Amino acid sequence: MTEPATANAGQGPGHHVGHRVGLVLGAGGTAGAAWIFGCLEVLEELTDFDPGQADVLIGTSIGAIKAASIAADGHVSARTFDALQTMATVPNAPTALNTARAAARLAGGKAVALVARAGAADPLTWVEDLKLDGRAQIVSMQRFPPARRVAVLAESATPEREVAASAAIPFGAKPVEMEGKSHVDGAVWSVTNADLASPEDLDLLIVIAPLVATDGGSTVSSLGRDQLITELEPWHAAGKPVIVLAPSGAQYEHRKDRKRHHADARSLTFSKAPTTTRSPHQPKNRAQPTVPVD
C-alpha cells in the first residue's frame, strides 16, 4: 500500500462542491500535539470550523494519531468557508533553491529510514485505546526499499498498525511490520506530506505544521519549510487558497514548553496577513495566519 491513496479518498457522498476543505495535520511529537490542538481550537472560535467537517483528512506522526480519531461531522458551511477564505492566501511558487533543498531533505529522510535503529518504545501501545475513524489518510514510511506508504484507514486490514507506524520515530520507537515490510514515522519522508491533498479535489487547504517554522528555526525546520513550499506548488499553479498554521522561529525554539506552545498556537501571531478583511467571527486584535515564505 505504498503511495497511491488519492486526495478524495475517504470523502463521503454529497460533499459540497465549491466548499471542499482539506485538513493536513503534521508531525511534531507531544509539542506538536499542543500546537495542533491550539490551532484547531482557534480555528473553531474564529470560523466555526470543525475538523470533522474536512472533506480530506491527512495525518503524519502525532498528526496521524489526531487525524485517526476525528469523527466525520457533516460538511463546511458557506459561512465557515467564507471565514476560512479570509485567513487564506495562494501560496508562492517554490524557487529553484526551495526545490533543491526539498530534494535534499527527502534524500536525507530515505537515508535515515535505512540506518535507523529500533528504539525501546512500542508505538502500538500509543494507539490501543484510540477510537479510529476510517476516512483519515495516514502516512508512514517503508524502510527498505525507502517508499512512502499512504493508507486510508477504512480500507486497511490493520488500521491500528497504520497509525502506530506513522508515529514510530526512528531511534526512539520500534518499527512496525506491515505486509512483510518494516515501517517508521511518516515524518521521515515529510513532516506534512501536504502534496497528498490535491487542488483538483479541494477548494481550500488547511495545513497545521508544528515542525515548519515560518522563519528561522533549526536546519531541520528550514528544510521542512522548503519541502512544504514545494509540496504546495500545485495550489500555487491552480490559484487556490491555503492556510498554513506554523510557528514562528521564536515560537519553534521554545516548543518544549508545551503550555506556552499551545498558547502560541491560540494567539495566531503569524508574520504576514494575507488580507485585511476579517472573518465574521474574527476579533479585531488577532493577527491573521499565513503561508510561510522563504
Side-chain angles (χ1 to χ4, degrees):
M1 202 183 296
T2 52
E3 280 295 324
T6 59
N8 61 356
Q11 283 187 358
H15 62 276
H16 295 182
V17 175
H19 297 152
R20 301 166 302 177
V21 175
L23 177 62
V24 173
L25 302 180
T30 53
W35 185 265
I36 289 170
F37 279 103
C39 289
L40 290 176
E41 288 167 5
V42 80
L43 277 174
E44 183 173 12
E45 290 173 9
L46 298 183
T47 71
D48 290 336
F49 175 74
D50 183 322
Q53 298 170 348
D55 292 281
V56 169
L57 187 56
I58 298 165
T60 301
S61 197
I62 192 65
I65 292 175
K66 175 59 178 172
S69 62
I70 295 173
D73 187 23
H75 298 283
V76 171
S77 69
R79 183 180 183 187
T80 292
F81 186 82
D82 288 345
L84 289 170
Q85 280 193 306
T86 69
M87 302 172 69
T89 186
V90 176
N92 292 335
T95 64
L97 180 59
N98 293 143
T99 302
R101 284 169 56 87
R105 163 64 176 81
L106 179 56
K110 291 179 177 179
V112 168
L114 288 170
V115 304
R117 297 188 303 273
D122 182 358
L124 286 167
T125 64
W126 303 340
V127 301
E128 58 188 4
D129 295 326
L130 282 181
K131 184 177 180 181
L132 302 181
D133 184 81
R135 68 203 181 93
Q137 294 181 51
I138 302 302
V139 184
S140 61
M141 184 170 178
Q142 179 179 289
R143 293 187 63 198
F144 184 81
R148 180 166 64 176
R149 179 183 176 95
V150 185
V152 179
L153 291 184
E155 300 171 2
S156 173
T158 56
E160 292 85 1
R161 299 187 78 83
E162 301 286 0
V163 180
S166 185
I169 305 169
F171 304 102
K174 299 174 182 177
V176 176
E177 297 294 320
M178 293 183 290
E179 300 175 2
K181 299 285 187 179
S182 179
H183 293 78
V184 294
D185 196 320
V188 179
W189 184 276
S190 165
V191 294
T192 53
N193 292 287
D195 58 309
L196 293 173
S198 170
E200 295 182 3
D201 302 306
L202 296 165
D203 301 295
L204 184 146
L205 181 64
I206 302 168
V207 181
I208 301 181
L211 290 182
V212 177
T214 58
D215 58 85
S218 66
T219 299
V220 171
S221 177
S222 66
L223 288 172
R225 181 167 66 244
D226 290 305
Q227 197 170 25
L228 176 57
I229 292 169
T230 303
E231 290 172 347
L232 293 177
E233 192 280 333
W235 290 80
H236 166 80
K240 286 192 171 181
V242 177
I243 299 170
V244 174
L245 304 182
S248 68
Q251 291 167 338
Y252 180 86
E253 290 303 318
H254 58 64
R255 66 191 182 280
K256 291 185 179 180
D257 182 342
R258 297 182 188 102
K259 288 185 178 179
R260 181 175 177 180
H261 208 44
H262 178 263
D264 283 342
R266 287 185 53 80
S267 75
L268 287 181
T269 52
F270 293 87
S271 59
K272 179 181 176 184
T275 176
T276 57
T277 304
R278 291 188 298 115
S279 79
H281 305 278
Q282 186 173 359
K284 291 182 180 180
N285 62 348
R286 285 195 184 272
Q288 300 258 18
T290 188
V291 176
V293 293
D294 206 26

